[in-house]
Amino acid sequence: MGLISDLFQALIHQDFKTLANPEFLWAIYGVLFLTIFLENGLLPTAFLPGDSLLLLSGALVAQGSLHFALTLIVLTAAAGLGCWFSYLQGKWLGRTKTVRGWLNKIPANYHQRTHQLFHYHGFFALLIGRFLAFVRTLLPTIAGLSNMDPKRFQIYNWLSAILWVGVVTGFGYLVSMTPLFKHYERGMMTGLMILPIVLLVGGLIGSIIVILKKKSSK
């Protein structure tokens, strides 16, 4: 508990030298891996702030707190394994009441968007869907339900994971190296740190509202 508290304090005070300490480094990678895995792989946690965490990771790489290659490997592994887990939910568990219940709790517009993307664009949809929040969690489940070939799924899964992580994290890194960002560095970094929390709270509240609406309509 003390480690988490110290890590939080280092983030708040933007103590990048402390964050680069190996003791904190593995805690940061653990949190990043778990969050990205859950956001990509488990329907009830689809509201987690995946994109904003990738942007923050890129900024932390630019500050020297995280290692570039290791960050890409950890984030790509989390995204790829999470997406695979979502596929397995569709393939093996899609007919169970639990997964069906999760699917029913997701707003109808996300269902329509995902089905259109998958059926009209086929395998290429996995590449597009990776960049769309909620859709990247739901689409692999739909692929599993549709009995998409596992080998082809894995190819597109890992290609899309590499692309998503590389593009969004790279964008966060490049933006952090611009003169404008450096001029307002403290404020910008604070914004990047607050953004995932705001999105997390907003997503959690939105999910609760959707569940309550569905219960009241029943």
Side-chain angles (χ1 to χ4, degrees):
M1 197 68 180
L3 179 64
I4 299 297
S5 176
D6 291 342
L7 177 59
F8 183 73
Q9 288 296 322
L11 280 168
I12 291 295
H13 294 101
Q14 298 185 25
D15 187 354
F16 299 114
K17 286 185 179 179
T18 301
L19 290 172
N21 185 308
E23 186 180 5
F24 288 106
L25 206 57
W26 292 111
I28 293 171
Y29 281 128
V31 170
L32 288 174
F33 181 91
L34 186 62
T35 305
I36 298 300
F37 176 86
L38 290 174
E39 194 249 3
N40 279 264
L42 203 59
L43 293 172
T45 55
F47 60 84
L48 290 172
D51 293 308
S52 57
L53 277 182
L54 295 189
L55 288 171
L56 177 59
S57 298
L60 289 174
V61 169
Q63 297 295 338
S65 298
L66 300 181
H67 301 287
F68 185 71
L70 183 58
T71 300
L72 291 182
I73 290 168
V74 169
L75 295 175
T76 301
L81 291 172
C83 190
W84 185 21
F85 185 70
S86 178
Y87 171 80
L88 293 178
Q89 286 177 60
K91 194 168 181 64
W92 294 345
L93 305 174
R95 291 176 181 82
T96 63
K97 287 183 179 179
T98 304
V99 175
R100 285 291 179 188
W102 292 348
L103 288 168
N104 289 333
K105 285 182 175 65
I106 294 173
N109 61 312
Y110 286 109
H111 279 281
Q112 292 165 4
R113 198 177 183 185
T114 304
H115 275 285
Q116 286 173 357
L117 193 61
F118 181 67
H119 289 292
Y120 287 115
H121 299 283
F123 299 125
F124 191 65
L126 286 171
L127 294 174
I128 303 168
R130 183 72 79 167
F131 290 85
L132 302 172
F134 280 96
V135 174
R136 65 173 154 263
T137 313
L138 185 56
L139 194 62
T141 306
I142 301 296
L145 285 166
S146 304
N147 289 316
M148 183 178 183
D149 179 65
K151 289 181 181 178
R152 286 197 176 185
F153 172 80
Q154 288 290 23
I155 291 169
Y156 282 88
N157 170 30
W158 289 101
L159 280 176
S160 64
I162 292 166
L163 238 129
W164 178 55
V165 170
V167 168
V168 182
T169 307
F171 182 73
Y173 174 84
L174 291 173
V175 168
S176 300
M177 299 299 286
T178 60
L180 180 65
F181 188 97
K182 288 186 177 296
H183 185 70
Y184 300 102
E185 185 174 87
R186 189 162 188 84
M188 292 283 201
M189 284 302 299
T190 301
L192 282 174
M193 289 174 188
I194 291 173
L195 182 61
I197 298 169
V198 172
L199 292 174
L200 175 61
V201 173
L204 188 57
I205 292 170
S207 299
I208 292 169
I209 290 170
V210 169
I211 291 167
L212 291 175
K213 279 185 176 179
K214 284 190 177 290
K215 282 187 177 180
S216 63
S217 65
K218 286 179 181 178

